[in-house]
């Protein structure tokens, strides 16, 4: 008899996250396929009422500990619960928030933490994960050779609404022992303000590695101004210090839903797509005709962003008169 | 202060990647590899710490094609020692690789004691786990991932570490040393080093080699059933022609949607 399916019910500043709800929907499907219960694992402090957001679960395992009042990478409690209760699989949000705890728990238990799963299904009693590898260039169907196994599930696997069931599930209080932490949360550092709020723009011109130099961002800026929008960027551009952190779109940055998202030299890493996939109109310019972004964009242009951007600026200017 | 930086080569995904004939793995026959970008940030963060606090940086890598160039580049940038682990078993799992690195750190000449181990928070080819937390567990060190800033306390016993969350929010943590940190980005972009300086490092400095402790490739914790290019459910409609023609079509699109 297979063990239960668990979802690590990630919380952020007093709320169950959207990604956790997505995983509840996915977990519900997988548990159904295996014919086992779905359990949500809620690690918190005075957070019992949050179980009411986890109605998709058959049971909520709630561990209350002062260590969970703020984010922590410490995985001791999760390790203890897995050892005691032997689930078949633990679905962990593949997010900056939960990646540490999932990876550390797997390391302690010497079990896999399957990276970057975009989907999961049961086949013949085993779970098969569809994983994004090599920055989205390839995908792999992966099984774990051990149970329990942990699966790091990417945001967007299911809709959060499908995992949102408003009823209070049975809550089981579980006692956990947390060792003296080696890592302690001190405080949040809020995003810089005063700059353009890219989440409020109708038009965004996004630049990636293909823009090549900081100076070339002027080309994107000119185009953005002509279109009445703002410039934003993908991780490599932010890491280079060419744009401020407040302009970053993606997993660590902002989630944006503009009317137009025009991408210059962004190949389409999964982390970036997470932040912009819901834009109404996505147009991508890339020199590589095989770039993954052309599978996401509505319209594509194969070409050098440095040549295309000025041409677009000129054309838009002349249309506007 | 002693800082170790673990470096790893990964496939260059700017290139087209192909699947092997077995349908389960990456075809490595014409593969171009580059230093894992996150590891480059880990090295940069170590260099920034050395500039601020002094101390010594040792870069450690499992042998791989082009690894020597990467290690000499690290020396040219300011690392003090470069250690290459040779005779590495083929097909190492992420768990086994971390175990091997932990053994090298524990037994290699003069690698302990260490204050900080920095490495990339993830690599493009990780599949069964993440190296940095695995290493932390092996060494029984503290761990924090997705790190974008580090300051070592005056006591040398702890560090203030910045971790990135979503939406531009970051968290500040007090981390007890020694610790392993999974770097997302250094506080500054990785520095550029001229080729001449790398050549000078090649002449003046040497890469130390340590044979891999014989712990094998490790039992596979995951099995790849199939590897393939993503099945494309949709594809962008392509706008073709000269830049001017493409621009004209782009304007038509916007006009149709009331965006012009």
């Amino acid at each position: 008899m297979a063990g239960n399916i668990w979802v690590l019910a990630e919380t952020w500043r007093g709320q169950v996250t959207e990604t956790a709800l997505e995983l509840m929907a996915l977990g519900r499907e997988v548990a159904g396929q295996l014919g086992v219960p779905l359990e949500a694992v809620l690690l918190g402090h005075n957070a019992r009422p949050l179980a009411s957001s986890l109605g998709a679960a058959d049971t909520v395992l709630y561990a209350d500990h002062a260590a969970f009042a703020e984010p922590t990478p410490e995985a001791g409690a999760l390790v203890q619960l897995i050892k005691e209760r032997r689930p078949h699989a633990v679905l962990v949000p593949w997010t900056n928030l939960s990646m540490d705890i999932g990876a550390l728990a797997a390391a302690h238990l010497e079990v896999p933490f399957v990276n970057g799963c975009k989907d999961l299904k049961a086949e013949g009693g085993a779970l098969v994960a569809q994983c994004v590898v090599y920055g989205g260039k390839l995908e792999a169907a992966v099984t774990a050779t051990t149970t329990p196994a942990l699966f790091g599930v990417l945001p967007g696997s299911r809709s959060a609404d499908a995992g949102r069931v408003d009823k209070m599930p049975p809550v089981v209080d579980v006692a956990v022992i947390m060792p003296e932490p080696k890592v302690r949360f001190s405080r949040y550092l809020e995003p810089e303000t005063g700059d353009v709020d890219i989440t409020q723009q109708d038009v965004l011109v996004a630049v990636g590695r293909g823009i090549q130099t900081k100076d070339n961002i002027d080309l994107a800026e000119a185009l953005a101004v002509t279109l009445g929008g703002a410039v934003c960027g993908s991780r490599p551009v932010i890491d280079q210090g060419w744009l401020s952190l407040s302009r970053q779109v993606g997993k660590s940055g902002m989630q944006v839903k503009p009317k137009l998202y025009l991408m210059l030299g962004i190949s389409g890493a999964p982390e970036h797509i997470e932040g912009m996939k819901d834009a109404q109109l996505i147009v991508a310019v890339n020199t590589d005709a095989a770039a993954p972004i052309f599978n996401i964009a509505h319209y594509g242009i194969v070409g050098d962003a440095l040549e295309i951007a000025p041409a677009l600026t000129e054309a838009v200017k002349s249309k506007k008169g | 202060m002693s800082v170790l930086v673990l470096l790893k080569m990964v496939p260059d995904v700017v290139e087209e990647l192909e699947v092997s004939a077995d349908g389960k793995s990456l075809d490595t026959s014409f593969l171009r590899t580059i230093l894992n970008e996150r590891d480059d940030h880990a090295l940069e963060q170590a260099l920034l710490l050395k500039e601020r606090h002094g101390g010594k940086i040792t870069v450690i890598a499992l042998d791989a094609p082009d690894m020597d160039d990467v290690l000499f580049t690290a020396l040219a940038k300011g690392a003090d020692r470069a250690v290459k682990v040779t005779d590495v078993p083929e097909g190492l799992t992420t768990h086994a690789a971390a175990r091997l690195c932990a053994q090298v750190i524990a037994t290699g000449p003069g690698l302990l004691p260490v204050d900080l181990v920095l490495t990339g928070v993830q690599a493009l080819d990780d599949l069964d786990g993440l190296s940095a937390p695995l290493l932390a567990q092996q060494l029984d060190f503290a761990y924090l991932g997705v790190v974008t800033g580090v300051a070592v306390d005056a006591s040398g016993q702890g560090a203030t570490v910045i971790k990135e969350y979503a939406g531009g929010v970051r968290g500040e943590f007090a981390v007890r040393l020694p610790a392993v940190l999974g770097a997302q980005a250094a506080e500054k972009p990785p520095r550029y080093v001229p080729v001449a300086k790398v050549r000078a490092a090649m002449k003046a400095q040497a890469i130390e080699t340590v044979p891999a402790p014989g712990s094998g490739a490790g039992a596979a914790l995951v099995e790849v059933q199939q590897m393939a290019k993503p099945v494309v459910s949709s594809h962008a409609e392509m706008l073709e022609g000269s830049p001017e023609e493409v621009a004209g079509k782009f304007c038509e699109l916007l006009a149709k949607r009331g965006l012009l």
Side-chain angles (χ1 to χ4, degrees):
Chain A
M1 168 79 194
N4 298 345
I5 296 295
W6 284 11
V7 168
L8 180 66
E10 169 188 273
T11 64
W12 174 247
R13 298 179 141 184
Q15 299 282 327
V16 171
T17 66
E18 294 282 298
T19 309
L21 292 171
E22 295 167 13
L23 265 62
M24 292 302 293
L26 176 64
R28 189 73 263 167
E29 282 178 30
V30 172
Q33 289 159 4
L34 288 169
V36 300
L38 173 67
E39 294 181 312
V41 179
L42 180 60
L43 308 174
H45 189 47
N46 302 326
R48 211 167 194 280
L50 292 185
S52 63
S53 307
L54 301 169
D58 294 302
T59 314
V60 174
L61 303 176
Y62 174 55
D64 193 298
H65 196 288
F68 302 131
E70 305 289 357
T72 173
E74 303 279 347
L78 184 59
V79 169
Q80 180 198 329
L81 292 176
I82 292 173
K83 278 186 180 164
E84 286 170 3
R85 292 171 176 262
R86 308 293 303 171
H88 183 74
V90 186
L91 279 51
V92 178
W94 185 254
T95 57
N96 292 356
L97 188 55
S98 294
M99 202 186 248
D100 290 350
I101 196 168
L104 274 176
H108 277 274
L109 295 160
E110 296 193 31
V111 300
F113 182 42
V114 183
N115 292 189
C117 308
K118 59 179 253 189
D119 201 4
L120 200 58
K121 60 175 187 279
E123 276 178 15
L127 291 183
V128 182
Q130 193 68 23
C131 301
V132 174
V133 288
Y134 306 117
K137 280 271 177 151
L138 296 176
E139 284 183 15
V142 175
T143 53
T145 60
T146 67
T147 53
L150 283 78
F151 293 88
V153 182
L154 291 162
S157 66
R158 294 293 182 274
S159 86
D161 283 344
R164 198 175 274 123
V165 177
D166 285 328
K167 70 165 197 244
M168 191 69 173
V171 178
V172 176
D173 289 290
V174 289
V176 291
I177 300 161
M178 285 291 279
E180 180 66 15
K182 294 174 181 160
V183 175
R184 281 177 197 276
F185 177 86
S186 308
R187 60 181 179 134
Y188 290 108
L189 303 173
E190 303 298 337
E192 315 146 39
T193 49
D195 194 12
V196 175
D197 181 355
I198 57 170
T199 65
Q200 300 301 316
Q201 297 289 320
D202 282 343
V203 174
L204 286 172
V205 178
V207 293
R209 210 186 290 273
I211 205 78
Q212 295 175 23
T213 68
K214 186 176 185 182
D215 289 347
N216 288 338
I217 291 182
D218 292 348
L219 300 175
E221 190 66 50
L223 179 53
V225 169
T226 309
L227 287 165
V231 172
C232 60
S234 64
R235 175 105 234 171
V237 172
I238 310 296
D239 283 354
Q240 286 299 324
W242 296 347
L243 284 175
S244 70
L245 203 57
S246 59
R247 303 287 186 118
Q248 186 179 348
V249 171
K251 192 185 191 74
S252 306
M254 304 294 172
Q255 309 278 321
V256 297
K257 296 178 184 175
K259 289 179 181 163
L260 169 65
Y261 195 75
L262 174 60
M263 309 174 74
L264 304 176
I266 295 180
S267 64
E271 293 82 0
H272 185 75
I273 291 167
E274 233 178 273
M276 46 61 69
K277 60 181 190 309
D278 296 325
Q280 288 175 26
L281 175 65
I282 303 169
V283 182
V285 181
N286 204 292
T287 48
D288 177 7
I293 196 57
F294 291 129
N295 302 331
I296 303 291
H298 304 110
Y299 292 90
I301 299 165
V302 176
D304 186 342
L306 306 182
E307 284 177 26
I308 303 290
L312 298 183
T313 307
E314 282 313 308
V316 173
K317 266 189 192 161
S318 66
K319 276 271 174 194
K320 281 189 164 177
Chain B
M1 192 181 61
S2 169
V3 181
L4 302 182
V5 181
L6 265 58
L7 302 177
K8 175 180 159 177
M9 302 298 279
V10 295
D12 184 355
V13 293
V14 170
E15 306 280 314
E16 199 51 31
L17 299 185
E18 299 295 336
V19 176
S20 308
D22 69 1
K24 294 180 179 184
S25 56
L26 180 66
D27 183 352
T28 54
S29 35
F30 299 101
L31 192 65
R32 209 172 88 93
T33 59
I34 54 168
L35 174 63
N36 177 23
E37 197 178 352
R38 300 290 140 234
D39 294 354
D40 201 15
H41 281 272
L43 173 61
E44 182 58 36
Q45 187 62 56
L47 294 165
L48 294 172
L49 286 171
K50 184 181 163 182
E51 285 167 3
R52 258 183 253 150
H53 304 287
K56 197 168 147 179
I57 300 170
T58 305
V59 288
I60 303 178
L62 304 185
D63 200 4
D66 300 327
M67 199 74 240
D68 286 8
D69 288 349
V70 168
L71 292 175
F72 279 122
T73 302
L75 289 170
K77 284 182 175 182
D80 300 275
R81 288 177 69 191
V83 175
K84 184 172 73 173
V85 183
T86 59
D87 310 309
V88 177
E90 290 231 343
L92 272 188
T93 65
T94 311
H95 285 246
R99 207 153 40 232
L100 201 155
C101 288
Q103 282 175 302
V104 169
I105 291 169
T107 60
L111 297 176
L112 287 180
V114 62
D115 300 296
L116 270 176
V117 181
L118 291 170
T119 191
V121 65
Q122 63 185 107
L124 290 170
D125 56 351
D126 286 338
L127 191 54
D128 61 339
L130 295 176
S131 302
L134 283 162
L135 188 68
Q137 200 273 329
Q138 289 283 329
L139 295 167
D140 197 23
F141 285 10
Y143 173 73
L144 191 64
V146 206
V147 165
T148 57
V150 187
V152 176
D153 302 347
S155 68
Q157 304 295 305
T160 303
V161 181
I162 309 298
K163 174 188 172 73
E164 203 169 74
Y165 292 111
V169 180
R170 293 163 300 150
E172 188 182 285
F173 287 82
V175 176
R176 196 195 296 165
L177 300 182
V180 177
L181 300 178
Q184 172 72 34
E187 288 155 31
K188 289 183 183 171
R191 65 196 65 193
Y192 169 77
V193 62
V195 178
K197 228 176 152 188
V198 178
R199 288 215 186 97
M202 285 175 170
K203 278 187 191 150
Q205 289 171 279
I207 295 171
E208 301 165 46
T209 57
V210 172
S215 51
L221 292 173
V222 298
E223 259 174 39
V224 175
Q225 308 294 330
Q226 196 193 6
M227 194 176 279
K229 296 196 176 177
V231 179
V232 177
S233 52
S234 64
H235 194 277
E237 188 180 315
M238 303 309 282
L239 308 180
E240 287 165 349
S242 67
E244 291 69 30
E245 286 164 346
V246 164
K249 291 174 187 173
F250 174 74
C251 287
E252 281 169 31
L253 272 180
L254 298 194
K256 245 190 258 170
R257 283 168 174 73
L259 289 164
L260 262 191

